[in-house]
Amino acid sequence: MTGLKLDVSNVYPFVSQDTILGYKDMVHTHLTTLYEKTGAGNDFLGWLEQPSNITDGLINDLEDTAAYLREKVEIIVVVGIGGSYLGTKAIISAMSHNFHNYIEGVRGPDVIFAGQNIGEDYLSELIDVLDRKSYAIIVISKSGTTTEPAIAFRILKKHLEEKMGPEEASQRIIAITDERRGALRKLCDQAGYRSFIIPDDIGGRYSVHTPVGLLPIACAGYNIREFIKGAKGLQERTSLDTPFEENPSAIYAAARNALYHSGKTTEILANYNEKLMYLSEWWKQLYGESEGKENKGIFPASVNFTADLHSMGQYIQEGERMLFETVISVDSPHSHLTIPEDAGNLDQLNYLAGKRINEVNRMAELGTLLAHIDGSVPNIRVEISTINEYSLGELVYFFEKACGISGYLLEVNPFNQPGVEAYKKNMFALLEKPGFENETRAIQERLNK
Ligand code: PA5
C-alpha cells in the first residue's frame, strides 16, 4: 500500500517553504489542543480516534444488517442531510460504476437518497420509483429533529407502511441517531426499529466513519473494513508524535492558512475523475461549515476537470487572483482503454493512437497545473494510487484532521455551525411553527413593509 501523498511544492512560488515551515510550532500546539481536548468544540472530538476505536462487534453488526437489507430489497433509501448525507453520498459515488443504473443487479440493491432537499418533484418522483420496487429505509439524523429529513421520512414511512403493512415496514426501517435524545430516537424506540448510535462526541460532518457512513456504504456492497483501515492509517500518520514535515494533514492546514493570509481567500478542490464529484461536495461542507465564521474563512469551491476547464477554466486562469487550487490526483484508473488508430485520421488524432486515455488525462492535469501556476494560482496536490475503500478512508480522515487544525489556526471553533440556524429561524417563522409566534409576527411585519 503506497498511501496518500501530499505535494505543496507548487505553493512555494507564492508562499515560501520557510513560511509554511514557520507554522510548525503553532500546528503542534493546535494538534495538542485537539488531542488533549482543551480547545473550542472539545466535546466533539470523538472522530479523532474513531478509526482505531471502532469495535469489531459494531462492524460485524453493521455488515450483518447490510447483508440482511441487501438480501431483502431492491432499493435502500438513505434519508438525511448535511453530515448525515454528504459523506455517504461521496463514498458511494466514488466507488460506483459510472453507469450502474444500466447494469442491473451487478452489486445488489441501489442506495439512493432523500431528505437532502425540500423537493416536491424529487419526493414525488422517488415515490413513483418506490411504488414499483421493494425497498428499505435508513433514516439518519443526529439531532433527530432536522426538518428536511423529517419530512421525507414521514412521507416514506407512510408509503412503506401502506405498501407492506406496519409490521413488515418496521423490519425495513433502520434508524441512525443519538443514543438518548431527539424525536427520531423516541419514534424509533416506540416503533421498535433497529437502530445504530451516532456517538455523542462526533458532529455530523465528521461522522463518515461512524454508522452514519458505514451502514449505507456496506449496504451498497463496499468493504467498510478497508474504509476504516485507510482512515486508521492516516490517523497514525498524523498523530501528535509525527514530525510536522511528515504529517500531511498538518502541512495541508499550514499551507492553506499561509495562502489565505497572502490573499488567496478561495480554495478550489479539483478532480480529474468524475467519481470524486461528491467527495468535493462533502469537502465543501466540511470546510465551509467548520471555518466560515466570525467573518473569516477560506471559501471552499470545487470543479470537475477537464469538464470545467471549458467553463470555469477561463476564470481560474485570468479572473480575480484570490484563488488557490487543491487537486485530488488519482494515479491509476481501474480500467485500461487506449485510443485506436484511424486510417482516415480526419480528426487528426492519430498522434494519440496507442496511448491510454489516462495518459491524456495526466497530461491535461500537468498542463493545467503549469498554466495555473503561470496564472498565479498556487497548487496543492493530494495523490492517491487508485480509488478504493482504503484510499477514500485515508482521504476522509486526512481532510478531517487538517480541518480541525486549520480551524484552530484560523481561531474559530471548527466543530459548531451556529450560522445554519438563521435560515431555519426564518423558515419556521414563515411556516408559523408553534413556539415561533414572536418571530412570525416580526417576519410578517418585515415583509409587509
Ligand atoms: O455537520 C453537521 O453537524 C450538520 O451538517 C448536520 O450533519 C446536518 O445539519 C444534519 O443534522 P442531523 O443529523 O442532526 O439531522
Side-chain angles (χ1 to χ4, degrees):
M1 198 77 57
T2 47
L4 175 147
K5 290 184 198 139
L6 177 76
D7 179 2
V8 294
S9 60
N10 289 305
V11 169
Y12 303 158
F14 308 92
V15 166
S16 73
Q17 184 172 15
D18 283 348
T19 306
I20 296 174
L21 291 175
Y23 276 79
K24 181 175 175 164
D25 290 345
M26 249 187 307
V27 165
H28 187 76
T29 304
H30 295 314
L31 206 49
T32 309
T33 306
L34 282 173
Y35 277 101
E36 290 182 352
K37 299 190 171 37
T38 50
N42 56 0
D43 40 354
F44 285 103
L45 291 170
W47 58 272
L48 257 184
E49 291 174 299
Q50 173 69 0
S52 57
N53 280 346
I54 193 160
T55 63
D56 227 30
L58 177 57
I59 300 173
N60 288 336
D61 213 0
L62 291 162
E63 286 175 338
D64 290 348
T65 307
Y68 164 78
L69 293 177
R70 281 169 65 74
E71 183 68 24
K72 207 170 176 69
V73 298
E74 296 167 279
I75 287 183
I76 296 164
V77 188
V78 177
V79 179
I81 195 167
S84 293
Y85 156 66
L86 282 162
T88 305
K89 173 81 179 167
I91 303 308
I92 293 177
S93 302
M95 290 301 301
S96 297
H97 191 290
N98 275 305
F99 305 100
H100 62 100
N101 283 345
Y102 301 96
I103 309 187
E104 254 177 56
V106 169
R107 294 202 68 94
D110 263 337
V111 175
I112 59 177
F113 297 87
Q116 81 281 24
N117 57 35
I118 316 179
E120 192 158 339
D121 285 341
Y122 188 95
L123 284 168
S124 306
E125 288 166 19
L126 176 60
I127 284 168
D128 283 349
V129 172
L130 298 179
D131 277 339
R132 297 173 176 84
K133 300 275 186 185
S134 71
Y135 74 100
I137 303 171
I138 300 175
V139 54
I140 310 176
S141 178
K142 179 160 183 187
S143 62
T145 52
T146 308
T147 309
E148 291 90 335
I151 293 172
F153 182 56
R154 181 185 273 221
I155 288 172
L156 295 181
K157 174 177 165 295
K158 181 167 178 282
H159 182 267
L160 190 60
E161 283 173 352
E162 284 170 2
K163 184 171 165 148
M164 304 304 306
E167 211 154 289
E168 177 60 21
S170 76
Q171 300 294 310
R172 292 178 179 215
I173 296 174
I174 315 280
I176 304 178
T177 188
D178 188 84
E179 190 174 7
R180 291 176 292 274
R181 285 183 293 263
L184 182 58
R185 167 54 58 202
K186 220 184 259 170
L187 181 64
C188 168
D189 290 346
Q190 252 173 34
Y193 303 145
R194 167 132 218 224
S195 73
F196 288 93
I197 292 162
I198 308 176
D200 244 6
D201 58 353
I202 303 186
R205 56 192 177 275
Y206 293 84
S207 69
V208 198
H209 283 102
T210 74
V212 170
L214 298 176
L215 182 62
I217 294 167
C219 283
Y222 302 115
N223 187 335
I224 54 173
R225 287 175 193 271
E226 279 296 301
F227 183 57
I228 296 164
K229 200 166 148 199
K232 204 166 158 219
L234 244 287
Q235 184 188 325
E236 283 156 13
R237 282 179 62 195
T238 57
S239 77
L240 203 48
D241 302 330
T242 312
F244 175 74
E245 298 77 3
E246 291 166 29
N247 180 335
S249 296
I251 300 273
Y252 175 57
R256 62 197 296 284
N257 273 273
L259 286 165
Y260 179 58
H261 292 297
S262 79
K264 302 292 186 189
T265 55
T266 298
E267 177 176 11
I268 306 172
L269 191 72
N271 66 68
Y272 286 81
N273 188 321
E274 271 192 42
K275 289 184 190 229
L276 298 177
M277 181 189 290
Y278 277 95
L279 194 86
S280 299
E281 296 305 312
W282 166 80
W283 171 89
K284 283 194 280 193
Q285 187 216 359
L286 180 66
Y287 281 82
E289 267 193 351
S290 298
E291 294 193 320
K293 288 161 199 170
E294 302 171 27
N295 302 329
K296 294 189 275 193
I298 296 170
F299 183 80
S302 67
V303 285
N304 303 297
F305 289 159
T306 59
D308 287 335
L309 286 172
H310 297 261
S311 60
M312 297 303 289
Q314 172 59 37
Y315 190 103
I316 298 169
Q317 193 67 45
E318 295 183 346
E320 255 203 79
R321 300 297 72 196
M322 76 307 191
L323 306 173
F324 70 98
E325 179 171 70
T326 297
V327 174
I328 302 183
S329 180
V330 182
D331 196 35
S332 315
H334 295 293
S335 321
H336 189 109
L337 186 63
T338 54
I339 298 168
E341 181 88 30
D342 184 89
N345 196 27
L346 285 178
D347 53 13
Q348 302 193 346
L349 281 183
N350 273 354
Y351 78 102
L352 295 176
K355 284 197 197 303
R356 286 184 65 177
I357 300 286
N358 193 45
E359 196 181 333
V360 181
N361 203 26
R362 302 295 299 211
M363 293 310 111
E365 184 180 329
L366 183 55
T368 306
L369 163 77
L370 297 172
H372 287 180
I373 291 170
D374 292 344
S376 291
V377 180
N379 181 288
I380 296 174
R381 189 160 175 274
V382 183
E383 186 186 307
I384 55 170
S385 51
T386 194
I387 297 177
N388 57 26
E389 292 94 333
Y390 185 93
S391 64
L392 292 168
E394 285 187 299
L395 269 176
V396 165
Y397 190 88
F398 160 75
F399 280 126
E400 286 176 350
K401 188 71 146 285
C403 191
I405 300 168
S406 188
Y408 280 172
L409 282 172
L410 203 62
E411 297 180 352
V412 297
N413 176 353
F415 308 111
N416 65 3
Q417 54 282 334
V420 179
E421 296 310 311
Y423 98 91
K424 289 187 195 167
K425 197 182 94 199
N426 288 341
M427 180 177 76
F428 293 150
L430 290 164
L431 290 169
E432 300 181 28
K433 183 174 174 173
F436 282 76
E437 290 75 10
N438 290 341
E439 287 84 353
T440 299
R441 254 190 312 277
I443 209 161
Q444 281 169 352
E445 270 170 32
R446 178 177 168 186
L447 292 174
N448 290 334
K449 255 187 203 159

